[in-house]
Amino acid sequence: MKMNQFWIRVLGLFGILGGLILFAGDMFLYYDPISTNFRRNMGNASNFRIIASGVCALFATWFYMIGLGQVYYAFKPAKPIFRNGLLIFFGSVLIAFGIVHGAFLAIATTAKLSVEYNLDINEAVSLSERINQILRLFVYPIVGILSILFISQVWKRKTLYPRWIIVFFPLIPFLIEDLVCKFLPDNIWIIVKGGYLNLILVIFFTASTIGLWDIKKIR
């Protein structure tokens, strides 16, 4: 399949939109202008907000996977084993974003029921949160493998990416999440903390698009 600069940029735009859409899905669940209690905020969310959050996860996952085509193209100079490995591992992580977000819908639903029926909210969401945590345990090793693959190939200049893209690879901002969020005022903290994982993908796909913006020869 022949690619040109226009379509490479469009793929990046899909990745950015995927992050923005799922960030909106996060805000549907978590955001409250006067509260930073995630469980309580989910318990107070309307039915519309919870349903809209689920729909966001579906469309965002589709868009993320389309956006992955840009990263796959950037690995065109790499050996097939690394390029295909990137597709498998990065794709697995992006799909997991949608699935894990879906697990948060269960937390939101049980939190909402606990508020409506005056139940202990921590006890009500405990099973849903445990499921969420177990799902994440499957994802973390994949993120580790993907990080080694991506960073090593970019650093060795085996891809079309400039080396500075490593700074924006999701692992780096993920590791400094606590530092980034530590000094934020509450009304900003709930936004950044609540949507952090998708914001770092927005940043990555933006950096990826910029890094590939001026490729002169594309096949």
Side-chain angles (χ1 to χ4, degrees), residues 1-11 73 212 215 217-219:
M1 177 180 177
K2 291 185 178 181
M3 298 291 290
N4 57 42
Q5 287 187 328
F6 172 79
W7 288 111
I8 291 297
R9 295 166 185 173
V10 168
L11 291 175
Y73 180 83
L212 300 175
I215 295 176
K217 185 178 180 181
I218 299 179
R219 299 176 183 178

Side-chain angles (χ1 to χ4, degrees), residues 176-190 192-193:
I176 61 172
E177 178 179 358
D178 290 340
L179 180 62
V180 171
C181 298
K182 185 175 182 180
F183 300 106
L184 296 175
D186 289 348
N187 60 333
I188 302 298
W189 182 90
I190 192 68
V192 175
K193 185 71 174 181

Side-chain angles (χ1 to χ4, degrees), residues 36-175:
T36 59
N37 187 316
F38 285 118
R39 291 173 180 171
R40 184 61 58 179
N41 292 352
M42 285 189 283
N44 291 328
S46 66
N47 289 347
F48 170 79
R49 287 178 61 167
I50 295 174
I51 293 170
S53 183
V55 174
C56 284
L58 177 64
F59 281 91
T61 304
W62 287 341
F63 282 17
Y64 272 150
M65 292 305 294
I66 296 173
L68 179 58
Q70 185 189 66
V71 188
Y72 184 68
Y73 180 83
F75 268 62
K76 188 173 183 178
K79 293 181 179 179
I81 188 172
F82 296 118
R83 193 181 188 207
N84 294 330
L86 172 97
L87 183 66
I88 293 170
F89 293 121
F90 213 153
S92 297
V93 171
L94 294 176
I95 291 171
F97 266 67
I99 293 174
V100 171
H101 187 89
F104 273 105
L105 299 180
I107 299 174
T109 302
T110 51
K112 184 174 178 62
L113 289 172
S114 72
V115 171
E116 290 179 350
Y117 293 97
N118 198 29
L119 304 174
D120 184 293
I121 193 169
N122 295 325
E123 183 177 345
V125 303
S126 61
L127 178 58
S128 299
E129 288 187 339
R130 183 181 178 190
I131 293 170
N132 186 284
Q133 292 166 0
I134 291 173
L135 290 175
R136 289 169 180 260
L137 291 178
F138 286 98
V139 179
Y140 290 145
I142 299 175
V143 172
I145 296 171
L146 171 64
S147 299
I148 294 172
L149 190 161
F150 184 94
I151 293 173
S152 64
Q153 291 298 295
V154 172
W155 184 256
K156 294 176 182 178
R157 301 188 186 277
K158 301 294 185 180
T159 76
L160 299 176
Y161 281 130
R163 280 180 172 173
W164 58 256
I165 194 73
I166 293 174
V167 177
F168 300 97
F169 182 70
L171 177 67
I172 308 302
F174 176 78
L175 293 176

